[in-house]
Amino acid sequence: MTTHPSFNIRALRLVGPKYSYRVDFTDQPDGERVRPLSVIAGEISTGKTTVLEFIDWCLGAKEHPEHDEVMVNVRSAQLAIDVTGPSDSSLTHYVIERALGAKTTSAYLYVGNLETMSGTPVRSFTSDPADVESLSHYLLQLCGLSGLRLDQSPSRPESKTSVLSFRDLQPLWFLTNRRLDNGDLAYERQPHRSIKLNQVVDILFGVSDNERSTLTRAVEQLGAEEREFARAVQTLRTFMTDAGFTTIQEVDSESDRLRGRVAELNAQKRVIDGNISARGDFTVELRANYARSEKQAQRIQAKLRDRETLASRLEPLRAQYADEIRRLDLVAESLNLFDSLTIVTCAACQSTLQSPPEVVDNECSLCHSHLTADLTDGEGVLDLGTERRSLVRRLNQLLEFVQEVRTEGDGLRRDLDVANAAVQSAQSALDRISGNIASPFLAQRDEIQQSLVDTSAELMTMLRARQLLLQLQQKEVELLQTSAALKEARARKAGYLKNATSRDTILAHIGDRLYSILEDFGYPKVARVHVDRILVPFVRGRRYDKVGSSGAMTLIALAWELALFELAFEQGSGHPGFVLVDSPQKNLVPGSVAVPTAPDPVSDESGEEIGRLITNRSPNIVGNIYRHVEGWLDKHPGAQIIFVDNQPPSAADQHIVVRYSQSPDEPPYGLIENEDGRASENG
């Protein structure tokens, strides 16, 4: 089995509106090869843990750091990764970018590293792990784990399943500061997460793989189908029993009887229709007379409608002529009543004129204006009489035409009344003769028709009942087939689990590796090391959170994380290929010993003594941790470990990628290096 990693962390860059902040995990200055061991060193509150949290954010975490200096200076995070191809020498560079925001923020994939990344993303990722276009699905593809599903209740044979998410692998590649000593290393206090973690470990170590996931999904789907078919069969069976139908034979027998009855009634109906048709010859002339009368009435009605429409359209024209005549009369009367030259008072001085003004030789005696026509001879006065006589003549002609149209309409109304009377007479004669001939047959025909409708409805009910019974039979067959398939799928799954790698064997391997790592660390008097069924580690027969020393808890948690990583990587079974560890020296320095629980009186050494031994040996233990990690990484090229450590030993200086000083005079101050306090001092 190959042991190359799925992908490595190459670099992290935080992009802001003014500055970018970067941490490289490659060999310098060429930066071609990812360091097997990278250490982020420096003082507290300088952003070391923030680096790991942003790596986690780019890999799909629901939350990102929200420190004030981060929210002001950072808009998005870019994670450069190296993806290993089929051969160890084949590497492809990609950049995953994710903007700061809600947990549903989309991510984007670019080709190249941070210096050569493409201008536009080659893929856009959703946040739903069940979506094949999600970031989780892409990362699981790199690990060879895409498409797997986890049981929600593994103890149940027909447990529902959920899709495996890359976040379910996170406890195996990110050992956070809290998990080092909070007593929830294997999520034993969170049953839901513990169930998922144990199934992920089973997948990585061959206890459960794609075949088991496929078998589990098949059992789940067949179980759901069986329940659905059982409900459908029960519903149909209850309905048919209530309706009085039990077998298809009974329904077929009743249907045949009803079909015979329908055929008999149709034959009787045809005989009656023949009798009515044979006696209908007596009414041929009456029908023709009725048709002629009706057509004549329709023609007269159309003519009358045309005359009435014409009369209504002429009425406005008659009123218009009358208005024109009235206007001419008013003009003529105004000419007789008003004389424009009758002026007796001077308009300028208001004195009485000795003689009225007049027109002499085409010139006004009052204003001395020259006129173009002599008004005294009467030639300039409009002759309104001719125009009025013409209008009166045309109005009289219009009135005569309107009267003719109305007279014609009155005649058509009388003709229409006569035609309608003829239609009614013809219809009465036809009804009287037809009633005497067809009435005996019509009553009988109506009775037969009603019987035919009732019998057809009963037959349709029988046909629907037969269809439902056939459907019931089909559902029963499908239920039997599904039950048989479910039984077979359960047997296949049980057989596979019986022949699969024993979980006890895997747990024993993890316990052995945990013991070996603790020995390398120099854990005092290490003995009786194992992990239980839910992966909780035990040392010297006591659970890790009951050893009585916080320093001991740190060492056990670190050894547990490394044991799972080393074994999974060595087997090449789907681990991403890197581990992030926050503060491996937590609780190991002098003065940090704690006694969270009372010592076990049965144990030959108390928790206090273990704590004191760890504290006294802490420099050697820290050195042993780094020596173990370096030795294992040398033997397994491609694996990557990133430590965040306040004060790594001097032997680890070659592995430090950045050291934050927390001093403005010794850059870099911290991850957000421009937030070094100088701005506030200057202000």
Coordinates of all heavy atoms in Angstrom, one line a residue, residues 25-69:
F25 N 5.5 27.4 4.7 CA 5.9 26.1 5.3 C 6.9 25.3 4.4 O 6.9 24.1 4.3 CB 4.7 25.3 5.7 CG 3.8 26.0 6.6 CD1 2.6 26.5 6.1 CD2 4.1 26.1 7.9 CE1 1.7 27.2 6.9 CE2 3.2 26.8 8.8 CZ 2.0 27.3 8.3
T26 N 7.6 26.1 3.5 CA 8.5 25.5 2.6 C 10.0 25.8 2.9 O 10.2 26.7 3.7 CB 8.2 26.0 1.2 OG1 8.3 27.4 1.2 CG2 6.8 25.6 0.7
D27 N 10.9 25.0 2.4 CA 12.3 25.3 2.5 C 12.6 26.7 1.8 O 12.2 26.9 0.7 CB 13.1 24.2 1.9 CG 13.1 23.0 2.8 OD1 12.9 23.1 4.0 OD2 13.3 21.9 2.2
Q28 N 13.4 27.5 2.5 CA 13.8 28.8 1.9 C 15.2 28.7 1.5 O 16.0 27.9 2.0 CB 13.6 29.9 3.0 CG 12.1 30.1 3.4 CD 11.2 30.5 2.3 OE1 11.7 31.2 1.3 NE2 10.0 30.0 2.3
P29 N 15.7 29.5 0.5 CA 14.9 30.5 -0.2 C 14.2 30.0 -1.4 O 13.4 30.7 -2.0 CB 16.0 31.5 -0.6 CG 17.2 30.7 -0.9 CD 17.2 29.5 0.1
D30 N 14.5 28.8 -1.9 CA 13.8 28.4 -3.2 C 12.3 28.1 -3.0 O 11.5 28.3 -3.8 CB 14.5 27.2 -3.8 CG 14.6 26.0 -2.8 OD1 14.1 26.2 -1.6 OD2 15.1 25.0 -3.2
G31 N 12.0 27.6 -1.8 CA 10.6 27.3 -1.5 C 9.9 26.3 -2.4 O 8.7 26.2 -2.6
E32 N 10.7 25.3 -2.8 CA 10.2 24.3 -3.7 C 9.6 23.1 -2.9 O 8.7 22.4 -3.4 CB 11.3 23.8 -4.7 CG 11.7 24.8 -5.7 CD 10.5 25.1 -6.7 OE1 9.8 24.1 -7.0 OE2 10.4 26.2 -7.1
R33 N 10.2 22.8 -1.8 CA 9.8 21.6 -1.0 C 9.1 22.0 0.3 O 9.6 22.9 1.0 CB 11.0 20.8 -0.7 CG 10.7 19.4 -0.2 CD 12.0 18.5 -0.1 NE 12.9 19.1 0.9 CZ 12.9 18.7 2.1 NH1 12.1 17.8 2.5 NH2 13.8 19.2 3.0
V34 N 8.0 21.3 0.6 CA 7.4 21.6 1.9 C 8.2 21.0 3.0 O 8.7 19.8 2.9 CB 5.9 20.9 1.9 CG1 5.3 21.0 3.2 CG2 5.1 21.7 0.8
R35 N 8.4 21.7 4.1 CA 9.1 21.2 5.3 C 8.3 20.0 5.9 O 7.1 20.1 6.1 CB 9.3 22.3 6.3 CG 10.2 23.5 5.9 CD 10.1 24.5 7.0 NE 11.0 25.7 6.7 CZ 12.2 25.8 7.2 NH1 12.6 24.9 8.0 NH2 12.9 26.9 6.9
P36 N 9.0 19.0 6.3 CA 8.3 17.9 7.0 C 7.9 18.4 8.4 O 6.8 18.1 8.8 CB 9.4 16.8 7.2 CG 10.4 17.1 6.1 CD 10.4 18.6 5.9
L37 N 8.7 19.2 9.1 CA 8.3 19.8 10.4 C 8.5 21.3 10.3 O 9.5 21.8 9.9 CB 9.2 19.2 11.5 CG 9.0 19.8 12.9 CD1 7.6 19.6 13.4 CD2 10.1 19.2 13.9
S38 N 7.4 22.0 10.6 CA 7.4 23.4 10.7 C 7.0 23.9 12.1 O 6.0 23.3 12.7 CB 6.4 24.0 9.6 OG 6.8 23.6 8.3
V39 N 7.7 24.9 12.6 CA 7.4 25.4 13.9 C 7.1 26.9 13.8 O 7.9 27.6 13.3 CB 8.6 25.1 14.9 CG1 8.2 25.7 16.3 CG2 8.9 23.6 15.0
I40 N 6.0 27.3 14.4 CA 5.6 28.7 14.5 C 5.9 29.1 15.9 O 5.2 28.6 16.9 CB 4.2 28.9 14.1 CG1 3.9 28.4 12.7 CG2 3.8 30.4 14.2 CD1 2.4 28.5 12.3
A41 N 6.9 29.9 16.2 CA 7.4 30.2 17.5 C 7.1 31.6 17.9 O 6.7 32.4 17.0 CB 8.9 29.9 17.7
G42 N 7.2 32.0 19.2 CA 7.1 33.3 19.6 C 6.3 33.5 20.8 O 5.8 32.5 21.5
E43 N 6.1 34.7 21.2 CA 5.4 35.0 22.5 C 3.9 34.8 22.4 O 3.4 34.7 21.3 CB 5.7 36.5 22.9 CG 7.2 36.8 23.1 CD 7.8 36.0 24.2 OE1 7.1 35.7 25.2 OE2 9.0 35.6 24.1
I44 N 3.3 34.9 23.5 CA 1.8 34.7 23.5 C 1.1 35.9 22.9 O 1.7 37.0 22.8 CB 1.3 34.5 24.9 CG1 1.6 35.7 25.8 CG2 1.9 33.2 25.5 CD1 1.0 35.6 27.2
S45 N -0.1 35.8 22.4 CA -0.9 36.9 21.8 C -0.2 37.5 20.6 O -0.3 38.7 20.4 CB -1.2 37.9 22.9 OG -1.9 37.4 24.0
T46 N 0.4 36.7 19.8 CA 1.1 37.3 18.6 C 0.5 36.7 17.3 O 0.9 37.0 16.2 CB 2.6 37.0 18.6 OG1 2.8 35.6 18.8 CG2 3.3 37.8 19.7
G47 N -0.5 35.8 17.5 CA -1.2 35.2 16.3 C -0.8 33.9 15.8 O -1.1 33.4 14.7
K48 N 0.0 33.1 16.7 CA 0.5 31.8 16.3 C -0.7 30.9 16.1 O -0.8 30.2 15.1 CB 1.4 31.3 17.4 CG 2.6 32.1 17.6 CD 3.6 31.4 18.5 CE 3.0 31.1 19.9 NZ 2.5 32.3 20.6
T49 N -1.6 30.8 17.1 CA -2.8 29.9 17.0 C -3.7 30.4 15.9 O -4.3 29.6 15.2 CB -3.5 29.9 18.3 OG1 -2.7 29.4 19.4 CG2 -4.8 29.0 18.3
T50 N -3.7 31.7 15.6 CA -4.6 32.2 14.5 C -4.2 31.6 13.2 O -5.0 31.4 12.3 CB -4.5 33.7 14.5 OG1 -4.9 34.3 15.8 CG2 -5.3 34.3 13.4
V51 N -2.9 31.3 13.0 CA -2.4 30.7 11.8 C -3.1 29.4 11.6 O -3.6 29.1 10.5 CB -0.9 30.6 11.8 CG1 -0.4 29.8 10.5 CG2 -0.2 31.9 11.8
L52 N -3.1 28.5 12.6 CA -3.7 27.2 12.5 C -5.2 27.3 12.3 O -5.8 26.6 11.6 CB -3.4 26.4 13.8 CG -1.9 26.2 14.1 CD1 -1.8 25.2 15.3 CD2 -1.1 25.7 12.9
E53 N -5.8 28.3 13.0 CA -7.3 28.5 12.8 C -7.6 28.9 11.4 O -8.7 28.5 10.9 CB -7.8 29.4 13.9 CG -7.7 28.9 15.3 CD -8.0 29.9 16.4 OE1 -8.0 31.2 16.0 OE2 -8.3 29.6 17.5
F54 N -6.8 29.7 10.8 CA -7.1 30.1 9.4 C -6.9 29.0 8.4 O -7.6 28.9 7.4 CB -6.3 31.3 9.0 CG -7.0 32.6 9.3 CD1 -6.6 33.6 10.2 CD2 -8.2 32.9 8.6 CE1 -7.2 34.7 10.4 CE2 -8.9 34.1 8.8 CZ -8.4 35.0 9.8
I55 N -5.9 28.1 8.7 CA -5.7 26.9 7.9 C -7.0 26.1 8.0 O -7.6 25.6 7.0 CB -4.5 26.1 8.4 CG1 -3.2 26.9 8.0 CG2 -4.5 24.7 7.7 CD1 -1.9 26.2 8.6
D56 N -7.5 25.9 9.3 CA -8.7 25.2 9.5 C -9.9 25.8 8.8 O -10.8 25.1 8.2 CB -9.0 25.1 11.0 CG -10.0 24.1 11.4 OD1 -10.2 23.1 10.6 OD2 -10.7 24.2 12.4
W57 N -10.0 27.2 8.8 CA -11.0 27.9 8.1 C -11.0 27.6 6.6 O -12.1 27.3 6.0 CB -10.9 29.4 8.3 CG -11.8 30.3 7.5 CD1 -11.4 31.1 6.5 CD2 -13.2 30.4 7.7 NE1 -12.5 31.7 6.0 CE2 -13.6 31.4 6.7 CE3 -14.2 29.9 8.5 CZ2 -15.0 31.7 6.5 CZ3 -15.5 30.3 8.4 CH2 -15.9 31.2 7.4
C58 N -9.8 27.6 6.0 CA -9.7 27.3 4.5 C -10.1 25.9 4.2 O -10.4 25.6 3.0 CB -8.3 27.6 4.1 SG -7.9 29.4 4.0
L59 N -10.0 25.0 5.2 CA -10.4 23.6 5.0 C -11.8 23.3 5.4 O -12.2 22.1 5.6 CB -9.4 22.7 5.7 CG -7.9 22.8 5.2 CD1 -7.0 21.9 6.0 CD2 -7.8 22.4 3.7
G60 N -12.6 24.3 5.6 CA -14.0 24.1 5.8 C -14.6 24.4 7.2 O -15.7 24.0 7.4
A61 N -13.8 24.9 8.1 CA -14.3 25.2 9.5 C -15.5 26.2 9.4 O -15.6 27.0 8.5 CB -13.2 25.8 10.4
K62 N -16.3 26.1 10.4 CA -17.5 26.9 10.5 C -17.2 28.3 11.0 O -18.0 29.2 10.9 CB -18.6 26.3 11.3 CG -19.1 25.0 10.7 CD -20.2 24.4 11.6 CE -20.8 23.1 11.0 NZ -21.9 22.5 11.8
E63 N -16.1 28.5 11.7 CA -15.8 29.8 12.3 C -14.3 30.1 12.0 O -13.5 29.2 11.8 CB -16.0 29.7 13.8 CG -17.4 29.5 14.2 CD -17.6 29.4 15.8 OE1 -16.5 29.4 16.4 OE2 -18.7 29.4 16.2
H64 N -14.0 31.4 11.9 CA -12.7 31.9 11.7 C -12.3 32.8 12.9 O -13.2 33.3 13.6 CB -12.5 32.6 10.4 CG -13.4 33.8 10.2 ND1 -13.2 35.0 10.9 CD2 -14.6 33.9 9.5 CE1 -14.2 35.8 10.5 NE2 -15.0 35.2 9.7
P65 N -11.0 33.1 13.1 CA -10.7 34.1 14.2 C -11.3 35.4 14.0 O -11.4 35.9 12.9 CB -9.1 34.2 14.1 CG -8.7 32.9 13.4 CD -9.9 32.6 12.5
E66 N -11.8 36.0 15.1 CA -12.5 37.3 15.0 C -11.8 38.3 15.9 O -12.5 39.2 16.4 CB -14.0 37.1 15.3 CG -14.7 36.3 14.4 CD -16.2 36.2 14.6 OE1 -16.6 36.7 15.7 OE2 -16.9 35.6 13.8
H67 N -10.5 38.3 16.1 CA -9.8 39.3 16.9 C -10.0 40.6 16.2 O -10.1 40.7 15.0 CB -8.4 38.9 17.1 CG -8.2 37.5 17.5 ND1 -8.7 37.0 18.7 CD2 -7.4 36.5 17.0 CE1 -8.4 35.7 18.8 NE2 -7.6 35.4 17.8
D68 N -9.9 41.7 16.9 CA -10.1 43.0 16.4 C -9.1 43.3 15.3 O -9.5 43.8 14.2 CB -10.0 44.1 17.5 CG -11.1 44.0 18.5 OD1 -12.2 43.4 18.2 OD2 -11.0 44.6 19.6
E69 N -7.9 43.0 15.5 CA -6.9 43.3 14.4 C -7.1 42.5 13.2 O -6.8 42.9 12.1 CB -5.4 43.1 15.0 CG -5.1 41.6 15.4 CD -5.5 41.3 16.8 OE1 -6.3 42.1 17.4 OE2 -5.0 40.3 17.4

